[in-house]
């Protein structure tokens, strides 16, 4: 018990040290974004309880709130439903000097909306056909777009959803959608696989993150983000991500177990 406890303390110390070093790099990145009027959009998708909130929290923790925004849209209103699907998202796109995170995004359409029957087949197929062109327009306009998918195993999801129910500070995270997540595991897997196949393209590739280990996932998302973006004074050795944890989507990863079945 003593050694296990000591190992955990050492692991936590190393995590905190590395996280702080990476957060210093993030401040450097933000200074570069502000100086050069860049527009950065980061989409964070994943399974329910995949760790999206915690990952974004660590990234933005020491960044300027004036130039950093997190967008987590709720259930669409009747007006939203009557509009062009992408319309309610375009209002939140980054302006010059801004770093914006979408905690879930337009990909709701081929995730929860598809699985839970909140959209029609026609709406779903139209989305899959039009989203690559929409993202290409964003990139051509000068927005730098990064898309991350936090992937966890079925067992880890069950464990985390149970912890949410037992933690009084996480009650706000529990929803009927969460409760159905494990029940519809296979349907969500199929929807995810189709999403990858149809929306992984050169202008906006999907980056998959193996997120069963929360700390490792957070560290490697930050490393990958820093690795992909240019800024002055980058610590190249520090920001090199672990390719076993974070990697560009490829169909072969569905077959070899790198992506949870």
């Amino acid at each position: 018990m003593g050694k296990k406890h000591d190992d955990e303390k050492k692991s936590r110390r190393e995590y905190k040290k590395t996280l702080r070093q990476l957060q210093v790099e993030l401040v450097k990145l933000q200074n570069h974004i502000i100086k050069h009027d860049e527009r950065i959009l980061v989409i964070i998708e994943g399974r329910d309880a995949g760790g999206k909130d915690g990952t974004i929290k660590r990234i933005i923790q020491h960044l300027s709130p004036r130039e950093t925004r997190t967008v987590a849209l709720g259930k669409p209103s009747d007006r939203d439903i009557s509009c062009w699907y992408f319309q309610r998202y375009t209002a939140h796109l980054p302006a010059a000097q801004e770093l914006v995170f979408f905690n879930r995004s337009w990909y709701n359409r081929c995730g929860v909306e598809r699985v839970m029957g909140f959209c029609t087949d026609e709406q779903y197929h139209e989305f899959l056909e039009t989203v690559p062109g929409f993202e290409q327009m964003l990139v051509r306009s000068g927005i730098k777009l990064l898309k991350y998918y936090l992937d966890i195993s079925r067992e880890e999801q069950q464990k985390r959803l149970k912890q949410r129910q037992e933690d009084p500070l996480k009650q706000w995270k529990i929803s009927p959608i969460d409760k159905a997540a494990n029940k519809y595991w296979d349907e969500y897997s199929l929807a995810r696989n189709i999403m990858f196949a149809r929306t992984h393209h050169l202008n906006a590739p999907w980056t998959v993150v193996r997120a069963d280990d929360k700390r490792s996932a957070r560290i490697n998302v930050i490393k990958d983000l820093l690795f992909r973006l240019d800024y002055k004074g980058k610590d190249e050795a520090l920001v090199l991500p672990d390719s076993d944890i974070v990697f560009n989507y490829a169909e072969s990863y569905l077959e070899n177990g790198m992506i949870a079945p």
Side-chain angles (χ1 to χ4, degrees):
M1 182 69 184
K3 185 176 186 308
K4 186 178 178 182
H5 180 67
D6 288 346
D7 287 347
E8 170 59 22
K9 280 177 70 176
K10 183 182 177 186
S11 173
R12 180 171 286 276
R13 273 199 311 270
E14 288 174 355
Y15 163 71
K16 286 186 173 181
K17 180 185 174 185
T18 304
L19 179 61
R20 177 170 174 75
Q21 290 172 327
L22 290 171
Q23 287 173 333
V24 170
E25 293 293 306
L26 284 165
V27 172
K28 290 185 200 173
L29 170 65
Q30 183 163 57
N31 286 335
H32 178 91
I33 292 168
I34 293 168
K35 184 177 179 182
H36 295 277
D37 285 340
E38 291 188 351
R39 293 176 288 155
I40 314 292
L41 176 60
V42 183
I43 287 175
I44 308 283
E45 288 285 348
R47 297 273 193 183
D48 287 311
K52 296 178 290 295
D53 297 335
T55 298
I56 294 171
K57 179 181 176 182
R58 271 67 180 189
I59 296 172
I60 69 172
Q61 194 169 2
H62 297 290
L63 298 181
S64 164
R66 287 186 301 278
E67 291 87 12
T68 311
R69 287 190 289 116
T70 299
V71 179
L73 299 183
K75 184 180 175 183
S77 66
D78 289 343
R79 183 181 183 279
D80 290 331
I81 290 168
S82 72
C83 292
W84 176 49
Y85 178 69
F86 295 103
Q87 192 163 324
R88 75 183 190 126
Y89 294 100
T90 56
H92 301 281
L93 292 173
Q97 304 186 1
E98 284 189 337
L99 172 60
V100 175
F101 292 86
F102 277 7
N103 185 346
R104 295 205 180 280
S105 66
W106 43 77
Y107 284 102
N108 274 341
R109 174 126 297 176
C110 55
V112 65
E113 289 190 19
R114 175 61 170 171
V115 173
M116 303 304 291
F118 296 155
C119 68
T120 66
D121 285 351
E122 184 182 0
Q123 289 170 328
Y124 169 69
H125 291 297
E126 181 189 355
F127 172 81
L128 288 174
E129 287 172 20
T130 57
V131 71
F134 174 68
E135 291 177 348
Q136 187 174 33
M137 282 195 297
L138 298 184
V139 173
R140 279 186 174 176
S141 79
I143 291 174
K144 292 181 179 175
L145 174 60
L146 293 94
K147 303 190 308 196
Y148 291 95
Y149 186 92
L150 274 54
D151 194 52
I152 55 174
S153 65
R154 189 170 195 166
E155 296 71 29
E156 183 63 21
Q157 186 187 64
Q158 282 178 326
K159 184 176 123 186
R160 291 184 189 180
L161 291 173
K162 186 171 183 291
Q163 287 171 344
R164 277 186 187 179
Q165 291 169 349
E166 295 169 353
D167 187 341
L169 294 177
K170 293 185 178 178
Q171 295 301 300
W172 61 272
K173 289 191 171 189
I174 300 170
S175 72
I177 301 298
D178 285 335
K179 289 175 181 175
N182 223 253
K183 178 182 175 185
Y184 291 100
W185 178 270
D186 292 336
E187 289 84 351
Y188 273 110
S189 291
L190 177 60
R192 174 204 62 191
N193 296 350
I194 293 170
M195 178 189 79
F196 283 153
R198 296 287 300 274
T199 67
H200 175 76
H201 53 98
L202 196 60
N203 284 307
W206 275 107
T207 301
V208 182
V209 184
R210 300 178 78 183
D212 272 9
D213 182 326
K214 284 184 181 181
R215 291 181 202 161
S216 179
R218 290 167 187 164
I219 291 294
N220 279 283
V221 168
I222 299 173
K223 284 185 174 186
D224 189 80
L225 182 69
L226 293 164
F227 182 77
R228 289 173 185 269
L229 297 171
D230 291 327
Y231 61 94
K232 189 177 178 182
K234 183 188 292 192
D235 185 336
E236 299 284 357
L238 177 66
V239 305
L240 195 63
D242 183 341
S243 59
D244 285 332
I245 304 295
V246 57
F247 46 87
N248 265 14
Y249 164 77
E251 189 178 353
S252 60
Y253 294 141
L254 297 171
E255 295 152 14
N256 69 8
M258 286 281 279
I259 296 174

